[in-house]
Amino acid sequence: MEEQSSYHPEKLEQTTPAIISDTVLFVQYIFSSFGWFILGGTILSLYLWSIAKPHLEKWRKQREEEEYAAQIHKNPDVYRARQEAIEAARLRMQEEHDRLARVKAERVKELEEQKREEWLANQIGSGGYRLNANTRETSQAQPGPSRKKDSSFRPEYNPLMGPGGSGGYRPQKRGCPGGGCGKK
C-alpha cells in the first residue's frame, strides 16, 4: 500500500506553466511602471496618424496616376479602350434613362386621359362636377333632395338647448382686483 501512495499525491493541484505566469507578471510590471507613457504614446500616435493619413492618400493617388500615365505613354491602346468602355457605359445609362422617361410619360398621359374621361362622364351624367364623387355610380345619383347623413353626436344632443352637462360656469375676468377699475 505504501507503493501506491508514492504514485499518487494526496492533493491534486493544477499548476500554471512557468512561461505563462512569467509572461503575465512581466506584462503587469510593464503596465504598472510605464502605463502613462504607453497611454500618452498611443494617443500621440493616433493624432499623428490622423494628420499623416491624408498626405499618404494623396501621395498614393498621385503615384497611381503617374503609373497609369506611364502605361498610357507606352501603350495608347489602353487609354482608347478605357475611353470606349466609359462611353459605352454612358450610352447604356442614357438609354435606360430615356426608356424610364418614356414609360413615365406614357403613364402620365394615361392618367390624364383617365381624369379627362371621368370629368366628361361627371359633366354629362349629373349636370355638374361633385367634389365628393369618386366613382361613376355615385356621380349619377337621382336628382332631388339628398338624404340627411347620420350625425356622430348623441341623438338627444342639441347645442341650442344651453349648458346641459358641459359645465357652463365661467369665472369672472381678473382685470381689476378689488372691483374699482374705471369708477370715480
Side-chain angles (χ1 to χ4, degrees):
M1 208 177 224
E2 292 178 12
E3 295 176 16
Q4 287 181 353
S5 65
S6 65
Y7 292 118
H8 297 287
E10 288 190 26
K11 247 183 172 181
L12 292 177
E13 293 181 7
Q14 186 175 7
T15 59
T16 307
I19 185 86
I20 294 175
S21 62
D22 290 343
T23 304
V24 169
L25 288 174
F26 179 71
V27 169
Q28 284 179 346
Y29 169 74
I30 293 295
F31 276 109
S32 65
S33 299
F34 305 108
W36 289 110
F37 295 114
I38 293 171
L39 180 65
T42 303
I43 291 173
L44 182 65
S45 63
L46 289 174
Y47 175 71
L48 291 176
W49 175 252
S50 69
I51 291 175
K53 187 176 180 181
H55 296 292
L56 291 173
E57 289 292 325
K58 183 179 176 183
W59 175 75
R60 185 188 56 81
K61 188 175 180 181
Q62 183 180 6
R63 194 170 139 208
E64 287 177 358
E65 288 175 358
E66 288 173 357
E67 288 176 3
Y68 181 69
Q71 186 180 11
I72 289 174
H73 185 69
K74 289 180 183 177
N75 189 3
D77 293 335
V78 173
Y79 177 74
R80 189 177 308 117
R82 183 173 178 183
Q83 290 300 324
E84 289 174 357
I86 290 172
E87 187 63 29
R90 285 181 184 155
L91 284 175
R92 282 194 308 271
M93 288 172 31
Q94 184 65 41
E95 289 171 358
E96 180 68 19
H97 181 267
D98 291 344
R99 185 185 63 81
L100 290 174
R102 281 193 303 271
V103 168
K104 186 174 181 180
E106 290 173 5
R107 191 176 307 138
V108 167
K109 194 179 211 182
E110 289 173 2
L111 287 174
E112 287 177 357
E113 182 66 25
Q114 183 181 5
K115 285 182 182 180
R116 190 178 69 80
E117 288 175 3
E118 287 178 5
W119 184 80
L120 285 175
N122 285 337
Q123 291 295 323
I124 293 171
S126 64
Y129 182 73
R130 293 187 183 173
L131 295 176
N132 208 358
N134 292 332
T135 60
R136 290 181 183 169
E137 291 81 23
T138 59
S139 67
Q140 297 175 355
Q142 296 293 332
S146 62
R147 214 173 54 164
K148 187 177 180 182
K149 290 187 176 182
D150 291 335
S151 176
S152 62
F153 297 115
R154 299 182 310 266
E156 68 272 2
Y157 175 73
N158 185 357
L160 300 176
M161 289 178 57
S166 64
Y169 171 74
R170 292 186 184 175
Q172 292 180 356
K173 293 182 181 180
R174 299 185 61 190
C176 300
C181 293
K183 294 182 182 179
K184 290 188 179 182

